[in-house]
Amino acid sequence: GQNIDQPTEMTATEGAIVQINCTYQTSGFNGLFWYQQHAGEAPTFLSYNVLDGLEEKGRFSSFLSRSKGYSYLLLKELQMKDSASYLCAVREQYSSASKIIFGSGTRLSIRP
Amino acid sequence: KAGVTQTPRYLIKTRGQQVTLSCSPISGHRSVSWYQQTPGQGLQFLFEYFSETQRNKGNFPGRFSGRQFSNSRSEMNVSTLELGDSALYLCASSEAYGANVLTFGAGSRLTVL
């Protein structure tokens, strides 16, 4: 089975940095994803980690520690448009089958 | 290149009815996954299709079913609707089964009265 935990809500200030944590327990880990979802819109892909370490992409970075079952998404130089839900997701692989399982999401509010 | 297209975008049904939702993946994408999104549960995996075959299934009752056609378009069906089936149903396509990036459609919002 699988379990993905992330905070329900976070608030941060425009221009600041925020870190959204995600912990997971899965029987067949094969990659971790972060998606962004603005209210009323479809989720969009942000990042993918399969090996330990930090992946940087512009203002966004994602970190993975497989031994700890832990990831975080780091958002720098926050902008008002970053107000959205951030979804942590894990690919669970077993035998020849796999599926991507999502956490409940972290709703991030940016204040001026 | 057109994105993932889901129809209908909104629909209202009553308990006991059935509903069919459609998903057209990005051209060239052969895998389609379906998710149910509700405020309390987040995105819940329903099933994934690749090459017209269901490759994986989530923990939903048999009232939820799907299929994929030879052109990779997919449909999902929910029979004997219950109030709790009210949700946003999202379809996502990827180039192949097990591909890393899912591209989501805008979803079909189902309300069951």
Side-chain angles (χ1 to χ4, degrees):
Chain A
Q2 68 287 319
N3 188 36
I4 301 174
D5 290 313
Q6 50 183 131
T8 304
E9 291 189 34
M10 298 183 70
T11 302
T13 304
E14 190 177 15
I17 299 174
V18 70
Q19 178 174 311
I20 303 174
N21 295 325
C22 170
T23 58
Y24 64 88
Q25 291 178 308
T26 182
S27 52
F29 176 83
N30 193 21
L32 186 139
F33 306 80
W34 285 94
Y35 280 78
Q36 179 191 61
Q37 185 176 27
H38 284 100
E41 297 183 13
T44 55
F45 172 79
L46 285 178
S47 68
Y48 170 67
N49 296 67
V50 66
L51 300 177
D52 291 351
L54 189 68
E55 294 282 342
E56 298 185 81
K57 193 186 293 185
R59 295 188 298 115
F60 293 8
S61 303
S62 56
F63 172 83
L64 174 66
S65 169
R66 289 172 296 171
S67 62
K68 295 181 179 178
Y70 168 70
S71 172
Y72 67 73
L73 179 69
L74 191 71
L75 292 74
K76 304 177 185 176
E77 301 169 15
L78 285 170
Q79 302 175 9
M80 297 303 293
K81 67 178 182 180
D82 297 330
S83 292
S85 287
Y86 292 86
L87 311 176
C88 174
V90 169
R91 179 176 291 285
E92 184 178 80
Q93 182 89 41
Y94 44 95
S95 184
S96 61
S98 76
K99 57 185 176 183
I100 297 178
I101 305 300
F102 284 80
S104 296
T106 298
R107 186 161 57 205
L108 176 65
S109 299
I110 309 298
R111 54 176 179 244
Chain B
K1 184 152 66 162
V4 179
T5 304
Q6 292 189 246
T7 57
R9 289 292 314 280
Y10 303 91
L11 66 166
I12 299 174
K13 294 285 188 178
T14 56
R15 278 182 300 174
Q17 287 187 309
Q18 73 163 13
V19 66
T20 299
L21 309 177
S22 177
C23 173
S24 294
I26 291 174
S27 177
H29 284 196
R30 297 171 59 199
S31 180
V32 173
S33 301
W34 287 91
Y35 289 83
Q36 180 195 67
Q37 186 174 34
T38 58
Q41 298 292 318
L43 269 81
Q44 300 288 307
F45 175 77
L46 281 157
F47 25 66
E48 180 174 5
Y49 286 87
F50 177 72
S51 292
E52 302 177 63
T53 303
Q54 186 180 91
R55 300 295 174 141
N56 213 334
K57 191 176 189 301
N59 297 323
F60 279 81
R63 301 186 296 109
F64 292 80
S65 63
R67 59 178 175 170
Q68 186 180 35
F69 302 94
S70 59
N71 62 357
S72 296
R73 190 177 71 85
S74 177
E75 289 181 348
M76 69 163 282
N77 183 275
V78 188
S79 62
T80 319
L81 284 166
E82 301 176 358
L83 295 179
D85 297 333
S86 294
L88 180 66
Y89 290 87
L90 289 164
C91 161
S93 76
S94 56
E95 292 182 352
Y97 179 61
N100 292 332
V101 180
L102 298 179
T103 303
F104 283 87
S108 293
R109 184 166 295 282
L110 170 65
T111 301
V112 182
L113 303 177

